[in-house]
Amino acid sequence: ARLVQISKLRSGQSVLDVATGTGLAAIAAAQIVGPTGYVLGTDFSIGMLQQAQQKIKALGLNNIKFEQVDADEQALQESRYDIILCSSAIVYLTDIPESLCQWHQALKPKGLVAFSCLAESSPSASVLFRKVVSRYGINIPNPNKLLGTPERCHQILETIGFEKVSIVTEQFGLYLQDAEAGWTGNAKSAFGLQDVEWSNEKLQQCKQDYFAEINKASKEKGYWNDVTMFFVVASKG
């Protein structure tokens, strides 16, 4: 909803929401562009799309459609959309600059791309996780590094041909009081330990080391998990 708000959508516009998930941004966009507008939400997860479909049925929206598509393989019509959205999912794309190039081509003249991404130092609990597992010989690349500063966002977008790049920085951090949840969220993520073949003993030792680091850095309220997010909007001409 925050990304859609910053995008300043208008009635009658055509919108593509890449990696829509359960349709949060797409549905918010459809409610703004109205019956003369159009929204397409795409995602590779059929389960998420089914949830999104149930939502639009309950809301009675007729100006929105969902399709099962892998964002890395999505074929886009040139100069088709007024706005392309991607909420918190751009880091999961295989080749981010290439995807941004394709989005640039798919936008109408003066069209906008709007996406949200995390600073390279966020979430700090994930940075700490990568630090701990590296002691065990597992080097997990920081998925937020490429777009992890406003300067890098500007550079990549302007190199592709986008103009009028605007970045709003907001903090969504909170005190983490459940270290178990923090471990599970990181270990089972796409940038975690899902493909690592460890003995249970080694896994548990690494887990305890993570807990120790969390406890060491915790204050009275718990561990401050910094979540600095960038909301990026750029124009095609």
Side-chain angles (χ1 to χ4, degrees):
R2 186 69 177 117
L3 180 64
V4 171
Q5 182 184 35
I6 288 172
S7 303
K8 297 181 180 178
L9 292 165
R10 301 189 307 274
S11 176
Q13 289 185 313
S14 57
V15 181
L16 170 65
D17 183 28
V18 178
T20 191
T22 60
L24 294 176
I27 290 170
Q31 292 170 322
I32 294 173
V33 301
T36 59
Y38 172 75
V39 178
L40 172 63
T42 62
D43 201 284
F44 74 92
S45 170
I46 188 65
M48 287 189 174
L49 292 177
Q50 286 171 345
Q51 293 182 51
Q53 196 65 43
Q54 290 171 359
K55 291 178 183 178
I56 63 170
K57 183 177 179 181
L59 291 168
L61 294 173
N62 298 313
N63 62 340
I64 180 170
K65 182 174 131 181
F66 294 109
E67 290 182 359
Q68 185 183 17
V69 181
D70 187 324
D72 288 321
E73 301 173 0
Q74 189 167 4
L76 300 175
Q77 181 183 336
E78 189 172 341
S79 301
R80 171 68 178 86
Y81 299 100
D82 294 297
I83 305 274
I84 294 179
L85 303 171
C86 186
S87 178
S88 302
I90 194 167
V91 297
Y92 295 101
L93 301 177
T94 301
D95 188 334
I96 294 172
E98 175 59 26
S99 291
L100 286 168
C101 284
Q102 292 178 9
W103 296 355
H104 186 274
Q105 293 174 354
L107 285 170
K108 297 176 183 178
K110 301 188 184 301
L112 298 178
V113 64
F115 62 86
S116 51
C117 59
L118 290 168
E120 65 178 326
S121 58
S122 294
S124 53
S126 297
V127 175
L128 188 59
F129 172 82
R130 291 192 293 272
K131 176 183 174 183
V132 170
V133 300
S134 69
R135 299 173 189 164
Y136 291 77
I138 302 297
N139 293 310
I140 301 174
N142 185 345
N144 302 315
K145 186 174 182 179
L146 185 66
L147 298 169
T149 68
E151 293 76 18
R152 287 186 210 140
C153 288
H154 272 277
Q155 182 181 15
I156 289 174
L157 288 165
E158 289 169 357
T159 298
I160 289 168
F162 284 102
E163 301 176 7
K164 300 177 183 177
V165 180
S166 170
I167 302 175
V168 175
T169 302
E170 296 191 4
Q171 176 60 248
F172 292 88
L174 47 78
Y175 283 99
L176 182 65
Q177 296 179 321
D178 186 350
E180 181 77 37
W183 166 266
T184 301
N186 281 293
K188 292 189 175 182
S189 78
F191 306 107
L193 300 175
Q194 294 197 68
D195 298 324
V196 177
E197 295 182 359
W198 275 354
S199 66
N200 186 61
E201 182 181 358
K202 189 173 183 179
L203 183 66
Q204 291 303 318
Q205 182 59 55
C206 183
K207 184 177 181 179
Q208 292 307 314
D209 285 353
Y210 177 72
F211 288 169
E213 292 290 342
I214 288 284
N215 290 333
K216 190 190 303 183
S218 293
K219 306 297 182 184
E220 184 179 347
K221 293 182 179 179
Y223 175 82
W224 174 249
N225 189 25
D226 179 282
V227 183
T228 301
M229 182 164 281
F230 304 141
F231 293 93
V232 185
V233 180
S235 171
K236 180 180 178 178

